[in-house]
Amino acid sequence: MLISVVEPLGISDEELRGLVEPAVEPFGAQVVTYVDRREDVASLVERCKDADAVVVSNIPFPAEVMAQCPKLKYVCVAFTGYDHVDMAYCREHGIQVSNCAGYSTVAVADLVFGLVIGLLRNIPACDAAVRASGTKAGLVGPELEGLTFGVVGCGAIGSRVARIAAAFGCTVLAYSRTRKELPDVEFVELDELLSRSDVVSLHVPQTPQTTHLINAERLALMKPSAVLVNCARGPVVDSQALADALNDGRLAGAGIDVFEMEPPVPADHPLLTAKNVLATPHVAFASNQAMSKRAAIVAANLGAYLAGEPQNLV
């Protein structure tokens, strides 16, 4: 049995193999790893064509590739989201798919508050003012304590964000398909959350139901003084509608880690030319510790699959 790890996973190849090989060698499986990232179909086919199992992170993995991999029976997605994998093809051809949910919970929540505080306290503008021999004039912002913090989606990441917001002294509102018992969190409907919150942080997966969940109509419900943070998936937000709201002064700011495409993002993207946007290049999930956690989950997923007891199936 051949396992192909088709892209690097954010740690050294030596560390990766040191985790994966002990998990699969008892089953007689061999592992091939690659130290560069290739997204074109021809390269992916070349790397996967003889594999029984494939590990892929967030590279698009379409039916066009899988159709040329006759032995493929298992895909381990080294990522939380899996909308970049053609799941319909996998279901039709009996290919099992696991993800690595949980590895980035701490990392994403950390960056959410980095973006929130950066926006509220005008950190980029303060940095620029200091370098230009300026002062704090016009750059004084609010504390988090006492603000209303809305969390959209209360999976593991959203729940952690809610707990941290409560620790900052925020009034915490949450909207989620499944309501949980979370201390100091009030569950409300989405429109109410948007209208009451000073900060809104998005933590939903990308599905047909969540695509453009935050659109022009819902942005119009938000306070002009509010900020929106998206560390979920880019298409959850209508980028042009958000840019319009920012440029028109109908929203105070936005922290954006995800776009409709993976970076590099075109310089003329509406959110990169809009006012008061603090942007990062899809880095929320990628702390040093998270990459090691992810590789450990990949190894465990592969071992469980080979043992006939697959875990984290999606």
Side-chain angles (χ1 to χ4, degrees), residues 258-293:
V258 286
F259 299 82
E260 296 85 353
M261 71 292 292
E262 285 298 308
V265 179
D268 62 353
H269 189 282
L271 290 177
L272 297 187
T273 58
K275 297 177 181 178
N276 302 325
V277 172
L278 184 54
T280 50
H282 199 182
V283 72
F285 70 95
S287 70
N288 294 332
Q289 294 93 328
M291 297 298 92
S292 293
K293 293 176 190 175

mmCIF file of all heavy atoms in Angstrom, residues 258-293:
data_model
loop_
_atom_site.group_PDB
_atom_site.id
_atom_site.type_symbol
_atom_site.label_atom_id
_atom_site.label_comp_id
_atom_site.label_asym_id
_atom_site.label_seq_id
_atom_site.Cartn_x
_atom_site.Cartn_y
_atom_site.Cartn_z
ATOM 1 N N VAL A 258 -9.329 35.358 5.241
ATOM 2 C CA VAL A 258 -9.701 34.430 4.173
ATOM 3 C C VAL A 258 -10.423 35.171 3.058
ATOM 4 O O VAL A 258 -11.203 36.096 3.300
ATOM 5 C CB VAL A 258 -10.578 33.280 4.713
ATOM 6 C CG1 VAL A 258 -9.752 32.288 5.508
ATOM 7 C CG2 VAL A 258 -11.722 33.815 5.579
ATOM 8 N N PHE A 259 -10.158 34.738 1.842
ATOM 9 C CA PHE A 259 -10.727 35.355 0.651
ATOM 10 C C PHE A 259 -11.362 34.264 -0.209
ATOM 11 O O PHE A 259 -11.369 33.095 0.161
ATOM 12 C CB PHE A 259 -9.639 36.101 -0.118
ATOM 13 C CG PHE A 259 -8.996 37.215 0.677
ATOM 14 C CD1 PHE A 259 -7.982 36.940 1.593
ATOM 15 C CD2 PHE A 259 -9.416 38.524 0.516
ATOM 16 C CE1 PHE A 259 -7.403 37.963 2.333
ATOM 17 C CE2 PHE A 259 -8.830 39.551 1.247
ATOM 18 C CZ PHE A 259 -7.825 39.272 2.161
ATOM 19 N N GLU A 260 -11.865 34.643 -1.368
ATOM 20 C CA GLU A 260 -12.473 33.658 -2.270
ATOM 21 C C GLU A 260 -11.432 32.747 -2.886
ATOM 22 O O GLU A 260 -11.770 31.695 -3.433
ATOM 23 C CB GLU A 260 -13.241 34.367 -3.391
ATOM 24 C CG GLU A 260 -14.421 35.182 -2.920
ATOM 25 C CD GLU A 260 -14.024 36.582 -2.486
ATOM 26 O OE1 GLU A 260 -12.807 36.886 -2.421
ATOM 27 O OE2 GLU A 260 -14.930 37.380 -2.190
ATOM 28 N N MET A 261 -10.179 33.141 -2.801
ATOM 29 C CA MET A 261 -9.075 32.346 -3.335
ATOM 30 C C MET A 261 -7.974 32.275 -2.273
ATOM 31 O O MET A 261 -7.950 33.068 -1.332
ATOM 32 C CB MET A 261 -8.527 32.965 -4.626
ATOM 33 C CG MET A 261 -7.763 34.267 -4.430
ATOM 34 S SD MET A 261 -8.761 35.694 -3.901
ATOM 35 C CE MET A 261 -9.727 35.947 -5.399
ATOM 36 N N GLU A 262 -7.080 31.307 -2.461
ATOM 37 C CA GLU A 262 -5.914 31.244 -1.593
ATOM 38 C C GLU A 262 -4.920 32.333 -2.004
ATOM 39 O O GLU A 262 -4.825 32.678 -3.180
ATOM 40 C CB GLU A 262 -5.246 29.872 -1.689
ATOM 41 C CG GLU A 262 -6.010 28.777 -0.968
ATOM 42 C CD GLU A 262 -6.120 29.039 0.526
ATOM 43 O OE1 GLU A 262 -5.080 29.284 1.183
ATOM 44 O OE2 GLU A 262 -7.243 29.007 1.053
ATOM 45 N N PRO A 263 -4.200 32.909 -1.060
ATOM 46 C CA PRO A 263 -3.168 33.884 -1.430
ATOM 47 C C PRO A 263 -2.159 33.258 -2.399
ATOM 48 O O PRO A 263 -1.922 32.051 -2.340
ATOM 49 C CB PRO A 263 -2.507 34.214 -0.090
ATOM 50 C CG PRO A 263 -3.584 33.911 0.924
ATOM 51 C CD PRO A 263 -4.307 32.719 0.387
ATOM 52 N N PRO A 264 -1.570 34.084 -3.287
ATOM 53 C CA PRO A 264 -1.640 35.542 -3.302
ATOM 54 C C PRO A 264 -2.984 36.072 -3.801
ATOM 55 O O PRO A 264 -3.538 35.551 -4.767
ATOM 56 C CB PRO A 264 -0.507 35.931 -4.260
ATOM 57 C CG PRO A 264 -0.338 34.729 -5.143
ATOM 58 C CD PRO A 264 -0.629 33.534 -4.288
ATOM 59 N N VAL A 265 -3.469 37.105 -3.129
ATOM 60 C CA VAL A 265 -4.741 37.744 -3.466
ATOM 61 C C VAL A 265 -4.456 38.907 -4.411
ATOM 62 O O VAL A 265 -3.525 39.687 -4.176
ATOM 63 C CB VAL A 265 -5.443 38.251 -2.185
ATOM 64 C CG1 VAL A 265 -6.758 38.942 -2.525
ATOM 65 C CG2 VAL A 265 -5.681 37.094 -1.222
ATOM 66 N N PRO A 266 -5.214 39.057 -5.484
ATOM 67 C CA PRO A 266 -4.968 40.171 -6.421
ATOM 68 C C PRO A 266 -4.998 41.520 -5.720
ATOM 69 O O PRO A 266 -5.832 41.755 -4.833
ATOM 70 C CB PRO A 266 -6.114 40.040 -7.426
ATOM 71 C CG PRO A 266 -6.551 38.614 -7.335
ATOM 72 C CD PRO A 266 -6.331 38.196 -5.920
ATOM 73 N N ALA A 267 -4.097 42.405 -6.119
ATOM 74 C CA ALA A 267 -3.985 43.709 -5.473
ATOM 75 C C ALA A 267 -5.255 44.533 -5.613
ATOM 76 O O ALA A 267 -5.515 45.426 -4.787
ATOM 77 C CB ALA A 267 -2.796 44.474 -6.051
ATOM 78 N N ASP A 268 -6.056 44.256 -6.639
ATOM 79 C CA ASP A 268 -7.283 45.029 -6.843
ATOM 80 C C ASP A 268 -8.511 44.381 -6.207
ATOM 81 O O ASP A 268 -9.649 44.793 -6.476
ATOM 82 C CB ASP A 268 -7.533 45.253 -8.333
ATOM 83 C CG ASP A 268 -7.737 43.946 -9.108
ATOM 84 O OD1 ASP A 268 -7.549 42.859 -8.520
ATOM 85 O OD2 ASP A 268 -8.078 44.007 -10.301
ATOM 86 N N HIS A 269 -8.304 43.376 -5.357
ATOM 87 C CA HIS A 269 -9.435 42.776 -4.651
ATOM 88 C C HIS A 269 -10.157 43.864 -3.866
ATOM 89 O O HIS A 269 -9.517 44.714 -3.229
ATOM 90 C CB HIS A 269 -8.946 41.671 -3.707
ATOM 91 C CG HIS A 269 -10.048 40.869 -3.102
ATOM 92 N ND1 HIS A 269 -10.820 41.332 -2.048
ATOM 93 C CD2 HIS A 269 -10.526 39.631 -3.393
ATOM 94 C CE1 HIS A 269 -11.709 40.413 -1.721
ATOM 95 N NE2 HIS A 269 -11.548 39.378 -2.523
ATOM 96 N N PRO A 270 -11.490 43.870 -3.881
ATOM 97 C CA PRO A 270 -12.214 44.976 -3.243
ATOM 98 C C PRO A 270 -11.888 45.178 -1.767
ATOM 99 O O PRO A 270 -11.922 46.311 -1.279
ATOM 100 C CB PRO A 270 -13.693 44.598 -3.448
ATOM 101 C CG PRO A 270 -13.702 43.164 -3.856
ATOM 102 C CD PRO A 270 -12.400 42.922 -4.544
ATOM 103 N N LEU A 271 -11.546 44.106 -1.048
ATOM 104 C CA LEU A 271 -11.241 44.274 0.370
ATOM 105 C C LEU A 271 -9.827 44.790 0.602
ATOM 106 O O LEU A 271 -9.528 45.289 1.693
ATOM 107 C CB LEU A 271 -11.464 42.954 1.117
ATOM 108 C CG LEU A 271 -12.926 42.544 1.251
ATOM 109 C CD1 LEU A 271 -13.054 41.199 1.943
ATOM 110 C CD2 LEU A 271 -13.723 43.612 2.004
ATOM 111 N N LEU A 272 -8.956 44.674 -0.390
ATOM 112 C CA LEU A 272 -7.605 45.215 -0.233
ATOM 113 C C LEU A 272 -7.540 46.694 -0.610
ATOM 114 O O LEU A 272 -6.524 47.356 -0.335
ATOM 115 C CB LEU A 272 -6.616 44.412 -1.073
ATOM 116 C CG LEU A 272 -6.450 42.933 -0.689
ATOM 117 C CD1 LEU A 272 -5.323 42.300 -1.483
ATOM 118 C CD2 LEU A 272 -6.219 42.767 0.810
ATOM 119 N N THR A 273 -8.606 47.199 -1.209
ATOM 120 C CA THR A 273 -8.658 48.623 -1.548
ATOM 121 C C THR A 273 -9.706 49.355 -0.709
ATOM 122 O O THR A 273 -9.899 50.558 -0.884
ATOM 123 C CB THR A 273 -8.971 48.805 -3.046
ATOM 124 O OG1 THR A 273 -10.206 48.163 -3.363
ATOM 125 C CG2 THR A 273 -7.874 48.208 -3.909
ATOM 126 N N ALA A 274 -10.363 48.634 0.203
ATOM 127 C CA ALA A 274 -11.397 49.239 1.049
ATOM 128 C C ALA A 274 -10.768 49.900 2.272
ATOM 129 O O ALA A 274 -9.636 49.604 2.667
ATOM 130 C CB ALA A 274 -12.407 48.188 1.487
ATOM 131 N N LYS A 275 -11.539 50.780 2.899
ATOM 132 C CA LYS A 275 -11.082 51.457 4.108
ATOM 133 C C LYS A 275 -11.083 50.513 5.308
ATOM 134 O O LYS A 275 -11.952 49.651 5.447
ATOM 135 C CB LYS A 275 -12.006 52.643 4.415
ATOM 136 C CG LYS A 275 -12.027 53.733 3.357
ATOM 137 C CD LYS A 275 -13.042 54.806 3.742
ATOM 138 C CE LYS A 275 -13.127 55.900 2.700
ATOM 139 N NZ LYS A 275 -14.156 56.914 3.053
ATOM 140 N N ASN A 276 -10.116 50.715 6.194
ATOM 141 C CA ASN A 276 -10.107 50.107 7.524
ATOM 142 C C ASN A 276 -10.181 48.589 7.491
ATOM 143 O O ASN A 276 -10.938 47.968 8.256
ATOM 144 C CB ASN A 276 -11.243 50.670 8.378
ATOM 145 C CG ASN A 276 -11.158 52.177 8.531
ATOM 146 O OD1 ASN A 276 -10.062 52.731 8.612
ATOM 147 N ND2 ASN A 276 -12.299 52.845 8.550
ATOM 148 N N VAL A 277 -9.396 47.991 6.598
ATOM 149 C CA VAL A 277 -9.279 46.533 6.548
ATOM 150 C C VAL A 277 -7.904 46.134 7.058
ATOM 151 O O VAL A 277 -6.879 46.676 6.618
ATOM 152 C CB VAL A 277 -9.481 45.995 5.119
ATOM 153 C CG1 VAL A 277 -9.156 44.502 5.053
ATOM 154 C CG2 VAL A 277 -10.913 46.238 4.660
ATOM 155 N N LEU A 278 -7.883 45.209 8.004
ATOM 156 C CA LEU A 278 -6.648 44.599 8.482
ATOM 157 C C LEU A 278 -6.635 43.179 7.935
ATOM 158 O O LEU A 278 -7.485 42.354 8.300
ATOM 159 C CB LEU A 278 -6.619 44.601 10.016
ATOM 160 C CG LEU A 278 -5.352 44.092 10.699
ATOM 161 C CD1 LEU A 278 -4.112 44.810 10.200
ATOM 162 C CD2 LEU A 278 -5.489 44.241 12.213
ATOM 163 N N ALA A 279 -5.727 42.884 7.018
ATOM 164 C CA ALA A 279 -5.755 41.613 6.292
ATOM 165 C C ALA A 279 -4.532 40.766 6.614
ATOM 166 O O ALA A 279 -3.424 41.281 6.789
ATOM 167 C CB ALA A 279 -5.816 41.878 4.785
ATOM 168 N N THR A 280 -4.756 39.465 6.657
ATOM 169 C CA THR A 280 -3.676 38.495 6.819
ATOM 170 C C THR A 280 -3.853 37.395 5.762
ATOM 171 O O THR A 280 -4.967 37.142 5.306
ATOM 172 C CB THR A 280 -3.686 37.874 8.234
ATOM 173 O OG1 THR A 280 -5.018 37.406 8.545
ATOM 174 C CG2 THR A 280 -3.267 38.885 9.288
ATOM 175 N N PRO A 281 -2.763 36.722 5.370
ATOM 176 C CA PRO A 281 -2.804 35.814 4.205
ATOM 177 C C PRO A 281 -3.174 34.373 4.552
ATOM 178 O O PRO A 281 -2.402 33.452 4.328
ATOM 179 C CB PRO A 281 -1.378 35.912 3.662
ATOM 180 C CG PRO A 281 -0.552 36.111 4.898
ATOM 181 C CD PRO A 281 -1.382 36.958 5.820
ATOM 182 N N HIS A 282 -4.384 34.169 5.076
ATOM 183 C CA HIS A 282 -4.859 32.848 5.491
ATOM 184 C C HIS A 282 -3.824 32.166 6.385
ATOM 185 O O HIS A 282 -3.345 31.066 6.118
ATOM 186 C CB HIS A 282 -5.177 31.961 4.284
ATOM 187 C CG HIS A 282 -6.081 30.817 4.640
ATOM 188 N ND1 HIS A 282 -6.480 29.863 3.742
ATOM 189 C CD2 HIS A 282 -6.676 30.474 5.815
ATOM 190 C CE1 HIS A 282 -7.266 28.975 4.337
ATOM 191 N NE2 HIS A 282 -7.398 29.342 5.608
ATOM 192 N N VAL A 283 -3.537 32.846 7.475
ATOM 193 C CA VAL A 283 -2.503 32.384 8.402
ATOM 194 C C VAL A 283 -3.081 31.974 9.758
ATOM 195 O O VAL A 283 -2.367 31.458 10.604
ATOM 196 C CB VAL A 283 -1.432 33.494 8.583
ATOM 197 C CG1 VAL A 283 -1.977 34.653 9.413
ATOM 198 C CG2 VAL A 283 -0.136 32.955 9.173
ATOM 199 N N ALA A 284 -4.390 32.169 9.949
ATOM 200 C CA ALA A 284 -4.966 31.947 11.283
ATOM 201 C C ALA A 284 -4.689 30.546 11.809
ATOM 202 O O ALA A 284 -4.385 30.359 12.984
ATOM 203 C CB ALA A 284 -6.471 32.212 11.259
ATOM 204 N N PHE A 285 -4.793 29.559 10.938
ATOM 205 C CA PHE A 285 -4.629 28.163 11.359
ATOM 206 C C PHE A 285 -3.173 27.765 11.553
ATOM 207 O O PHE A 285 -2.880 26.694 12.084
ATOM 208 C CB PHE A 285 -5.252 27.230 10.310
ATOM 209 C CG PHE A 285 -4.489 27.193 9.007
ATOM 210 C CD1 PHE A 285 -3.539 26.211 8.767
ATOM 211 C CD2 PHE A 285 -4.704 28.148 8.032
ATOM 212 C CE1 PHE A 285 -2.830 26.175 7.579
ATOM 213 C CE2 PHE A 285 -4.011 28.130 6.834
ATOM 214 C CZ PHE A 285 -3.062 27.140 6.610
ATOM 215 N N ALA A 286 -2.242 28.612 11.128
ATOM 216 C CA ALA A 286 -0.863 28.157 10.907
ATOM 217 C C ALA A 286 0.122 28.642 11.953
ATOM 218 O O ALA A 286 1.107 29.305 11.626
ATOM 219 C CB ALA A 286 -0.405 28.589 9.512
ATOM 220 N N SER A 287 -0.113 28.336 13.204
ATOM 221 C CA SER A 287 0.924 28.562 14.213
ATOM 222 C C SER A 287 1.923 27.408 14.187
ATOM 223 O O SER A 287 1.653 26.341 13.619
ATOM 224 C CB SER A 287 0.296 28.657 15.606
ATOM 225 O OG SER A 287 -0.186 27.380 16.011
ATOM 226 N N ASN A 288 3.076 27.624 14.814
ATOM 227 C CA ASN A 288 4.068 26.542 14.875
ATOM 228 C C ASN A 288 3.493 25.300 15.551
ATOM 229 O O ASN A 288 3.669 24.176 15.073
ATOM 230 C CB ASN A 288 5.310 27.010 15.639
ATOM 231 C CG ASN A 288 6.054 28.116 14.916
ATOM 232 O OD1 ASN A 288 6.003 28.197 13.695
ATOM 233 N ND2 ASN A 288 6.740 28.967 15.661
ATOM 234 N N GLN A 289 2.812 25.512 16.665
ATOM 235 C CA GLN A 289 2.265 24.366 17.393
ATOM 236 C C GLN A 289 1.148 23.687 16.606
ATOM 237 O O GLN A 289 1.036 22.455 16.617
ATOM 238 C CB GLN A 289 1.734 24.818 18.761
ATOM 239 C CG GLN A 289 2.801 25.314 19.717
ATOM 240 C CD GLN A 289 3.000 26.820 19.630
ATOM 241 O OE1 GLN A 289 2.836 27.424 18.569
ATOM 242 N NE2 GLN A 289 3.345 27.424 20.765
ATOM 243 N N ALA A 290 0.327 24.466 15.918
ATOM 244 C CA ALA A 290 -0.789 23.888 15.176
ATOM 245 C C ALA A 290 -0.298 22.961 14.074
ATOM 246 O O ALA A 290 -0.910 21.921 13.803
ATOM 247 C CB ALA A 290 -1.662 24.987 14.586
ATOM 248 N N MET A 291 0.805 23.309 13.425
ATOM 249 C CA MET A 291 1.318 22.460 12.353
ATOM 250 C C MET A 291 1.757 21.100 12.889
ATOM 251 O O MET A 291 1.539 20.064 12.253
ATOM 252 C CB MET A 291 2.475 23.155 11.641
ATOM 253 C CG MET A 291 2.111 24.462 10.944
ATOM 254 S SD MET A 291 0.892 24.283 9.597
ATOM 255 C CE MET A 291 -0.657 24.552 10.480
ATOM 256 N N SER A 292 2.360 21.103 14.067
ATOM 257 C CA SER A 292 2.754 19.818 14.670
ATOM 258 C C SER A 292 1.532 19.027 15.119
ATOM 259 O O SER A 292 1.469 17.809 14.951
ATOM 260 C CB SER A 292 3.690 20.065 15.858
ATOM 261 O OG SER A 292 4.923 20.607 15.420
ATOM 262 N N LYS A 293 0.536 19.720 15.685
ATOM 263 C CA LYS A 293 -0.705 19.042 16.078
ATOM 264 C C LYS A 293 -1.367 18.414 14.854
ATOM 265 O O LYS A 293 -1.874 17.285 14.905
ATOM 266 C CB LYS A 293 -1.672 20.034 16.721
ATOM 267 C CG LYS A 293 -1.256 20.599 18.060
ATOM 268 C CD LYS A 293 -2.278 21.651 18.503
ATOM 269 C CE LYS A 293 -1.808 22.425 19.711
ATOM 270 N NZ LYS A 293 -2.748 23.514 20.064
#
